[in-house]
Amino acid sequence: MAGETTPLRSGTALGSTSSKKQTGARCSIITLVLLSAALIALTITFQLKLRSLSTQLSTEKSHLSSLQTKVDDQQSVIDRFSSAVSNKDVLAKVDALEDELQNTQKELMHQLTATERSIEDMLNATITKLDTTVKLAQDEIQMEVDKVKHDVNDYVIQTQDQFSAENSFMIFQLAGTFTLLASLISMWHMTAHLRRFNQPFVQRKILAILWMSPVYGVTSWLSLVLPLYDGYFAVIKDFYEAYVIYQFMSFLIAVLGKGDREAVVDLLAQHADHLKPPFRLFGCCLPNPYESPRAMADAVLLQCQSFTMQFVFFRPLTTIGIFLCNKFNYYGWGDSVTDYRSFQ
């Protein structure tokens, strides 16, 4: 038993030893493989770096060779220029170029000035031509406008004259109709008095008064139809008006006193309580300065006769004065007939 146990233990030890050796060999192989792979990787990396450095070196060499070529070319140019041109020649050429530049500038300035002058002359000529053309156009337009205005004014005046003539004709017809009607009525009254002419002393004055309507109407109508002779017709009308006022006063005396003034005074004295005392100077009226009613009646009648004769004498004089002032266009302190400062 003991002999059998010893070989078993030795076999087991040998087996473990061989297995350990195999494991170490495997580790060594793996290590060698890894080292070989690392060496190969390092070799490849080194080859790549070497290639890149070689490429960069060749590039740099080519760049250096090109720079050297440029330097050689520049040096040859400098050598050629140094051998061919001196500083004096360069200065002379620079001076010549400056002179040429100045001459060119002067020539350009002269050309520019000449161009500006020519352009200015052309502009002035164009402006003058335009002004002349515009003025001619304005004159033509103004002439056309004036012509149109004149035609329109003529047409308006002609139309107004036609309307005025029509209106005037209508006014003349109406005024003439009423004048004729008033004259016919007055004539009818006058013929009635003439047919019964029983009181000639009174009826003559009535006839003179009745003539007022035809005379006044006819002269007014003629003044309307013939305005240039208005002043002459006004003189006739105002003269007859003054005559009619005188005839009316005479008519009153003839009716009240049969033509006797004393009879009129006696008749008025009977109604003295209805009479107002006559006015004195500056509008003052004495309360009752008369001795009897007959004296006051006589004073009242005298005042009426005085006022009547005052109108009869002054009315024609004022009419003649107005006629002369209008004839010679004299308006006093005024400017026209309608001005309140004029005498008319």
Side-chain angles (χ1 to χ4, degrees), residues 91-92 99 193 201 213 222 224 269 282:
L91 293 175
D99 294 336
H193 278 284
F201 184 74
S213 180
L222 290 175
L224 186 65
F282 302 114

Side-chain angles (χ1 to χ4, degrees), residues 237-288:
K237 178 177 62 180
D238 292 341
F239 266 79
Y240 197 79
E241 182 183 1
Y243 175 70
V244 167
I245 294 297
Y246 172 74
Q247 288 295 329
F248 183 72
M249 189 67 194
S250 301
F251 168 74
L252 292 178
I253 294 175
V255 171
L256 295 176
K258 306 298 182 180
D260 186 6
R261 184 179 183 281
E262 296 299 327
V264 175
V265 172
D266 292 335
L267 182 61
L268 292 176
Q270 295 175 8
H271 304 280
D273 54 342
H274 296 289
L275 299 177
K276 291 183 179 181
F279 290 93
R280 300 300 182 184
L281 187 62
F282 302 114
C284 297
C285 179
L286 298 177
N288 192 6

Side-chain angles (χ1 to χ4, degrees), residues 16 32 59 111 210 215 316:
S16 61
L32 289 174
T59 304
Q111 291 179 359
L210 288 175
V215 171

Side-chain angles (χ1 to χ4, degrees), residues 98-114:
E98 288 181 353
D99 294 336
E100 185 177 359
L101 180 61
Q102 290 179 357
N103 293 328
T104 305
Q105 287 179 350
K106 289 180 181 179
E107 185 177 357
L108 288 175
M109 289 299 294
H110 287 303
Q111 291 179 359
L112 181 61
T113 304

Side-chain angles (χ1 to χ4, degrees), residues 170-229:
M170 185 181 297
I171 293 171
F172 297 158
Q173 283 184 334
L174 290 174
T177 301
F178 286 109
T179 299
L180 181 61
L181 182 62
S183 299
L184 290 175
I185 294 173
S186 297
M187 292 294 180
W188 181 75
H189 282 290
M190 285 189 283
T191 54
H193 278 284
L194 289 175
R195 284 195 302 269
R196 296 176 179 82
F197 205 64
N198 300 323
Q199 297 180 358
F201 184 74
V202 177
Q203 288 179 306
R204 282 198 298 268
K205 296 174 175 55
I206 294 174
L207 291 175
I209 295 171
L210 288 175
W211 270 108
M212 178 65 187
S213 180
V215 171
Y216 209 98
V218 171
T219 54
S220 298
W221 185 76
L222 290 175
S223 299
L224 186 65
V225 176
L226 304 172
L228 294 177
Y229 302 97

